[in-house]
Amino acid sequence: MADNMSNPGEPEEASSMPLHIQVRETIRRQVKVGELIDKTGRLMTEAELGKHFGVSRITIRNAIKPLVDEGMFERERGRGTFLRTNQPENWVGRLMGFSETIKDAGYQPGAKVLLQGMTNRHDANVRKQLRERAVWQLKRVRFADDIPIAIEHAFYPPDIGLELEKRDLTSIVMYRVFESELGFDIKEATQTISASLADATSAKLLGVKAGSPLLSIERVTVNTDGRPLELLRSVYLPGYFQLSINLTRRHP
């Protein structure tokens, strides 16, 4: 590929990403600093981008589609693809599970179950958040286009867990099952995001070196009646996820 695809700041695992994902993230980075677009916000054509990156037009097309779907760009028939201004880039304010998020970003989601079943061997925070002494747990490696990018460890009240174990846990779309099959009316989720380092187990499952940076997320999802439905703890390869937040300054 062309030299402009390399970036000293990229994580080591980026080289294992499919080519269209590398191109997509490079487009995202370069557009943010005013490259690849003209004064009107019009993005270079697919042919121009293909020449710029030294890749095929189909690779460019696969790279751009998720950026259009998430709202970063807008296609105008007969005019081209234009940068949309003042738009949050990634799923801001939308409560989505892994499968929904990954599909929305243009990947094919997948999973491998590592652990499932009832347990009372959990920390005090799980007990406090779910208000249960024993819980049903589910630990999975999550995939995007067959590449392992996350490890999820989820905890559920026993009655919910016993319902979930009747289903295919490698392809389940969790929140849709909650709403359409189990009859829950999800109200909201509280999510905490932090940085962490891969331990030996996580590194092996995700195909990175021990000590590599990871994005850690803890999320508690509740029903409209205030009942906790899920406590989810996850670690992700940071190259696949980005959170943008609009901040405003309060004036006296």
Side-chain angles (χ1 to χ4, degrees):
M1 293 190 61
D3 288 344
N4 46 33
M5 278 300 296
S6 62
N7 187 318
E10 290 188 48
E12 291 183 17
E13 64 266 24
S15 61
S16 65
M17 293 182 189
L19 188 55
H20 72 277
I21 298 176
Q22 296 183 53
V23 173
R24 184 198 69 190
E25 294 309 313
T26 303
I27 290 173
R28 190 198 301 276
R29 272 198 313 272
Q30 293 188 354
V31 165
K32 283 183 178 180
V33 296
E35 300 175 4
L36 309 181
I37 55 176
D38 63 18
K39 293 181 180 179
T40 68
R42 181 179 180 276
L43 183 66
M44 294 166 63
T45 66
E46 290 180 357
E48 290 169 337
L49 288 169
K51 184 177 180 180
H52 177 75
F53 290 114
V55 299
S56 68
R57 290 185 66 171
I58 190 66
T59 297
I60 294 298
R61 195 168 295 125
N62 289 337
I64 294 175
K65 184 181 183 302
L67 299 178
V68 173
D69 291 343
E70 73 184 45
M72 183 175 181
F73 291 103
E74 182 176 19
R75 296 188 191 276
E76 296 186 17
R77 185 179 295 275
R79 296 191 62 217
T81 301
F82 289 81
L83 179 67
R84 295 180 65 183
T85 58
N86 300 323
Q87 294 292 325
E89 282 188 30
N90 283 42
W91 320 304
V92 177
R94 299 168 62 192
L95 177 56
M96 301 170 69
F98 180 93
S99 294
E100 293 169 305
T101 302
I102 289 300
K103 284 184 178 179
D104 200 50
Y107 308 118
Q108 181 61 41
K112 176 183 178 182
V113 176
L114 301 174
L115 180 68
Q116 70 177 84
M118 292 295 300
T119 182
N120 58 9
R121 301 181 64 182
H122 48 74
D123 59 64
N125 192 46
V126 174
R127 187 176 295 110
K128 178 181 177 181
Q129 296 280 14
L130 292 184
R131 307 172 198 165
E132 300 279 358
R133 295 185 64 181
V135 297
W136 192 85
Q137 64 178 333
L138 174 63
K139 188 173 184 179
R140 296 178 292 175
V141 178
R142 304 309 309 267
F143 298 88
D145 291 344
D146 297 322
I147 297 175
I149 66 169
I151 303 169
E152 292 184 335
H153 196 174
F155 302 89
Y156 303 92
D159 60 310
I160 296 177
L162 294 176
E163 285 293 332
L164 295 179
E165 70 179 8
K166 300 174 184 177
R167 294 161 171 81
D168 183 356
L169 298 174
T170 63
S171 62
I172 188 172
V173 182
M174 195 66 70
Y175 292 154
R176 290 182 188 173
V177 169
F178 277 5
E179 293 170 327
S180 64
E181 298 180 27
L182 301 185
F184 293 118
D185 188 6
I186 298 174
K187 179 184 179 182
E188 61 187 6
T190 301
Q191 184 161 283
T192 302
I193 303 173
S194 59
S196 65
L197 300 177
D199 59 21
T201 300
S202 298
K204 184 176 180 179
L205 290 171
L206 296 175
V208 297
K209 295 180 180 179
S212 295
L214 297 175
L215 185 68
S216 296
I217 294 178
E218 181 171 294
R219 175 192 293 175
V220 179
T221 302
V222 299
N223 203 37
T224 50
D225 62 3
R227 183 194 183 192
L229 303 177
E230 176 190 62
L231 169 59
L232 178 65
R233 293 172 174 171
S234 309
V235 290
Y236 301 87
L237 296 181
Y240 281 82
F241 287 85
Q242 179 179 4
L243 179 66
S244 296
I245 303 174
N246 290 334
L247 302 175
T248 58
R249 184 169 175 80
R250 187 176 298 173
H251 296 280

